[in-house]
Amino acid sequence: MTRNCNDIRNEFIDFFRKKRGHTFVPSSPLLPAEDPTLLFTNAGMNQFKDIFLGLVKRDYVRAVNSQKCIRAGGKHNDLEDVGHDTYHHTFFEMLGNWSFGDYFKSEAIAWAWELLTGVWGLDKSRLFVTVFEGDKAEGLEPDDDAAEAWRTRTDIDHSHILPGNKKDNFWEMGETGPCGPCSEIHIDMTDDGSGRSLVNAGDSRVIEIWNLVFMQYNRAADGKLTPLPATHVDTGMGFERICMVLQHKHSNYATDLFVPIIEKIETLTSHRYGSAAAAGQADRFDVADMDNITDVAFRVIADHARTLTFAIADGVLPSNEGRGYVLRRILRRACRYGRQYLGIEGPFLVELVDTVVGLMGEAFGEVVSRRDYIAETIQEEEVSFGRTLDRGIDLFVEQSVKVNKANGDTISGEVAFDLYATYGFPVDLTQIMAAEAGIKVDMAGYEKAMAEHQEKSRVERIAVAGAFAGRGMPTEFVGHNSLSIEAAKVRGTAKLCRNANGQPDSNESSSISVGDEGIVVLDKTPFYAEQGGQVGDTGVISQKADGVRQPGGRFEVTATKLEQVGHGQVILCHFGRVTEGTIVPHVVSGQNPPSGRVIAEVNAARRLDIMRNHTGTHLLNWALREVLGEHISQAGSVVAPDRLRFDFSHNQAVTHEQLAQVERMVNERILADEPVTIEPEVPLAEATKIPGVRAVFGEKYPDPVRVILIGTEPLCSAEFCGGTHLTRTGRIGALKIVSEESVAKGVRRITAITGLAAIEHMLGADDILRSAAVALRSKPEDVPSRIEAMAKEIKELRKARKAAPAASAAKEFAPDVTLSSPAGPVLIGKLAVPDANAMRAECDRQRQKGAAGLFLGAASDGKVMLVAMVSDELLATGKMTADKWIKAVAGIVGGGGGGRATLAQAGGRNPDKLPDALTAAGKWAAEALG
């Protein structure tokens, strides 16, 4: 009996759920929202970590699931191995069963053996198990309990129970926390069953298929181990591996998890997987050639297509930072393999999405429901990278040739950086290409070039660290409850000036006086420092004269920022200018009151506008999810007094109708004057359980965390936020969206205004509409239809004008050269007008007349245009393609171009060379047709 992958997954889950009382817990997302230490969810236990740590309890003590995992960055990174062997993957599933203080070693071992040999019928003589042999340095005894369970609760050959060292058989969550011995189950797939000595030896013929971890210790910060009050079981089985075993294959890529994807890739290229290594073999998918770069490319693309599909479904988007950068590297790695080794032109990964969804959708419904979103995201990213991929590969080849000519073996760091900065090639992709070419990359030079680039592009900033380095000057923020305080202490001042290079500098001083630009640091302040997207407050810091040391002064605050002054040290700085007198630091010198105290007052009207925009931003975030879908996540924001700007994940323009609906929903909440509740200190673990709570992806939140709740039950919005907010939505007044645009691949930006600014904007728009109505001599409500009618008339006039050159060209064309081909005549000739529409229309006419190929050239006014057409019938002969034809000739007229295999075009700057280009086109075609 050969089981398909869905059967295997279901049988595992049902074995524990139906027969062993386990609760099925759905896979957690690949985006580990509750664990900022992880790039991606990389093991089944991630979502149960807090249970093991004793931080939470669930309403079950036994669990089973199949967890989605990605290992492509950080500590667990299999990216570079993928494609070069038969079993490493960036995306994989981890089958697992867990016990939280319930059953332990005896049951876990007995059930694992029963499933493998009783249900799935694996050959017992081919299975080996390892148990922890102990570690004297740690004071750990051998795991005799596990060994005894294998001997007494199963019928395994006792000689197949092998000791394992701490490296292989003692599992730890991290440097601290729950840990314990583990027992691994290995299968021998050697031809003669001689694999005993290959257990844990790194040989693909004897591999681990299941790891049973028994957590019974806790490792403290000092490294000491103590017994846990409760013991747990955490098992993990690689789904792809067990499918390989149960389907009697030698490669994961030969299972029904991958074969349909590889077969789909084969429809996009002339290459075939396994064609070289599998000659004469019954199953070409199961005979892997590790040295065949074509087969490597198939495996890379098949693996990466799965990763991209699942990661995007779970909300990870390609970008230049963090998880997004890892995903972008994966996509570009797959694109490069497809283009360079399989000859696939244009976007192709998007073509694999439906195959992946068809294979995995039964178990993971999110890839079905988000199929369109996944495909659109992948296609947009492929198109973007495709524009520079060919040129990047060409540049790499040029540089590798130069390296070889120079008898060297290293590509310079400057070239590697140029590939990254100009063509979007991650440096690790350049390293892979270099390794394939047998050369190296100067990484030190690359890092230097990167550092120089960052320095050049660094925004001019004040060198606060020079003034306050090493100073511990914490400031208490009291601005949530008050906009003005008295008797704040001046902890320090600094005068800002310019250094010899004209760059901003700062120096700590005992005081700052009228006319000085400077910095003031207080012990407590109502001024909010710029962070979390909200701009800093402005206002006034004033100091009264005391007739002794304190002459009195006024400091106008123009910005409030948090500045780093040393490793781990951040101070809150008030930036501004002294407009009256002098500001002196606090010094206790016996006088009463002591000098250096000030009154700090925030610009209240400006703060109110900021709070309108901040609370409005939360409502906008809510409404966007309601209208566009739950995939919406915040990608950045700016909250200023005059506007709010909100960036969010969405890979297509928001329609006018959708924007209107979002705006309407926000204003309905404003008119409802709903309460804004601020919970200042909520334990982070508790806060994450608030229904619908939102956190900014990648943001690190304190514990406890501040939570902003809008509305009553059910809540309209719940977000982690440290910013300043209104107490009721009605105080926003109104919200008006003024623009929506794209700022990056898969990221949109909305700019909106609130309060009086929103009302003034709407009045201004009404004035414009009425003025347009007057100009068009229509009613305001008829303006859109009048403009539409005028646009239609203009379009028809332009169409008629364009048709004239085409008609002229049709009368004038006569081929200069006619060649024969198996599919029909191939024509080369000249048109009078270099008009792309006319030339493509001529291609259509000649094809209808029976031409199999056509090369047209036209020139005037210093402009040259070339167009090549190859029919499907001629293309099928394999003799020529339009894009290759055009590329072979375009350089002669000083230009370049490209296109599809059936239609391509190019432009040039040398009209005098057109006759030479047409001659070359004829010669190239004659040679191709042979």
Side-chain angles (χ1 to χ4, degrees), residues 116-152:
L116 291 175
T117 63
V119 176
W120 285 338
L122 294 185
D123 185 347
K124 299 173 185 178
S125 69
R126 292 277 183 164
L127 296 177
F128 291 85
V129 300
T130 58
V131 295
F132 182 49
E133 66 184 5
D135 188 280
K136 290 183 179 180
E138 291 272 14
L140 293 170
E141 297 295 325
D143 192 359
D144 294 332
D145 292 341
E148 180 64 15
W150 281 114
R151 287 191 292 267
T152 60

Side-chain angles (χ1 to χ4, degrees), residues 766 768-791:
D766 186 65
I768 293 171
L769 177 61
R770 292 183 182 279
S771 298
V774 171
L776 295 171
R777 299 180 180 179
S778 68
K779 296 178 181 179
E781 59 267 28
D782 293 335
V783 166
S785 60
R786 288 282 291 118
I787 292 175
E788 184 178 355
M790 293 173 65

Side-chain angles (χ1 to χ4, degrees), residues 304-318:
H304 291 5
R306 289 172 17 119
T307 304
L308 291 163
T309 299
F310 275 91
I312 293 169
D314 278 354
V316 184
L317 293 175

Side-chain angles (χ1 to χ4, degrees), residues 410-704:
T410 303
I411 286 181
S412 73
E414 289 80 3
V415 170
F417 177 74
D418 187 44
L419 281 166
Y420 166 72
T422 306
Y423 301 102
F425 269 45
V427 69
D428 57 332
L429 184 57
T430 301
Q431 287 178 296
I432 293 170
M433 295 170 66
E436 292 168 356
I439 55 181
K440 301 175 183 177
V441 177
D442 175 13
M443 289 305 297
Y446 170 81
E447 296 295 344
K448 180 181 178 183
M450 173 66 81
E452 290 174 351
H453 170 74
Q454 291 172 338
E455 180 63 23
K456 289 177 182 178
S457 62
R458 181 174 61 92
V459 178
E460 183 182 82
R461 61 184 175 83
I462 307 300
V464 180
F468 300 116
R471 294 280 301 277
M473 295 190 294
T475 299
E476 178 188 2
F477 175 65
V478 296
H480 284 310
N481 303 313
S482 177
L483 297 183
S484 175
I485 61 171
E486 297 184 2
K489 299 175 184 177
V490 178
R491 289 187 173 274
T493 61
K495 181 179 179 180
L496 299 180
C497 55
R498 297 273 171 177
N499 61 24
N501 297 320
Q503 298 298 312
D505 202 351
S506 60
N507 294 289
E508 187 176 11
S509 59
S510 58
S511 64
I512 48 177
S513 301
V514 63
D516 288 343
E517 289 187 29
I519 302 167
V520 174
V521 180
L522 306 178
D523 67 331
K524 56 184 176 181
T525 183
F527 288 80
Y528 183 85
E530 180 177 330
Q531 57 185 314
Q534 179 175 328
V535 300
D537 282 329
T538 63
V540 175
I541 294 174
S542 57
Q543 197 170 56
K544 293 181 179 179
D546 62 5
V548 184
R549 178 180 178 274
Q550 190 165 291
R554 177 185 174 90
F555 181 81
E556 293 191 356
V557 179
T558 57
T560 310
K561 301 179 182 180
L562 294 174
E563 295 286 352
Q564 186 165 343
V565 296
H567 183 66
Q569 292 183 315
V570 177
I571 61 174
L572 189 151
C573 296
H574 305 81
F575 292 80
R577 177 185 292 272
V578 181
T579 58
E580 295 178 17
T582 301
I583 302 294
V584 299
H586 172 71
V587 176
V588 180
S589 57
Q591 64 242 61
N592 188 23
S595 63
R597 293 185 183 273
V598 295
I599 299 171
E601 298 175 283
V602 172
N603 182 328
R606 183 177 182 275
R607 167 73 81 83
L608 179 58
D609 285 336
I610 291 172
M611 291 193 295
R612 285 193 176 105
N613 285 328
H614 204 156
T615 304
T617 299
H618 284 217
L619 287 176
L620 179 64
N621 190 359
W622 160 77
L624 284 168
R625 295 197 310 276
E626 291 290 312
V627 174
L628 302 181
E630 281 298 316
H631 67 275
I632 297 296
S633 60
Q634 184 172 341
S637 68
V638 171
V639 177
D642 60 336
R643 74 193 190 287
L644 66 89
R645 196 179 76 197
F646 188 75
D647 296 348
F648 57 97
S649 57
H650 192 59
N651 57 11
Q652 59 186 12
V654 185
T655 66
H656 173 74
E657 292 75 18
Q658 290 170 330
L659 286 174
Q661 186 178 355
V662 166
E663 196 175 274
R664 186 179 300 110
M665 292 175 69
V666 170
N667 283 298
E668 285 173 354
R669 294 288 181 171
I670 293 172
L671 290 172
D673 193 27
E674 296 190 287
V676 179
T677 305
I678 299 171
E679 298 288 350
E681 291 191 352
V682 183
L684 188 57
E686 181 181 329
T688 58
K689 298 176 184 177
I690 296 174
V693 72
R694 306 293 289 191
V696 178
F697 174 64
E699 189 81 11
K700 187 174 182 180
Y701 292 95
D703 191 1

Side-chain angles (χ1 to χ4, degrees), residues 257 338 398:
L257 286 169
E398 289 172 12

Side-chain angles (χ1 to χ4, degrees), residues 716-739:
C716 163
S717 169
E719 293 194 34
F720 298 166
C721 182
T724 60
H725 284 271
L726 302 169
T727 56
R728 300 195 70 87
T729 61
R731 296 196 69 191
I732 297 172
L735 182 142
K736 180 64 183 175
I737 295 173
V738 296
S739 68

Side-chain angles (χ1 to χ4, degrees), residues 798-813 831-839 841-842 845:
R798 287 175 176 171
K799 185 177 179 181
R801 188 175 66 180
K802 286 184 177 180
S808 174
K811 296 176 183 177
E812 297 174 11
F813 177 72
L831 292 183
V833 181
D835 179 273
N837 292 328
M839 297 174 81
E842 186 63 35
R845 276 190 292 274

Side-chain angles (χ1 to χ4, degrees), residues 261 264-269 297-298 300-302 304-305 308 330-355 375 378-383 385-386 389:
I261 304 175
K264 178 62 178 179
I265 298 169
E266 289 180 332
T267 68
L268 307 174
T269 176
F298 273 106
V300 166
I301 295 167
H304 291 5
L308 291 163
I330 289 171
L331 184 143
R332 292 182 172 185
R333 186 172 189 254
C335 287
R336 200 269 300 186
Y337 271 99
R339 183 73 59 88
Q340 192 169 3
Y341 298 117
L342 299 185
I344 305 176
E345 298 288 339
F348 66 90
L349 290 170
V350 65
E351 302 293 334
L352 307 180
V353 171
D354 284 339
T355 305
I378 291 176
Q379 182 168 30
E380 190 172 1
E381 186 73 12
E382 279 194 276
V383 169
F385 185 48
L389 179 57

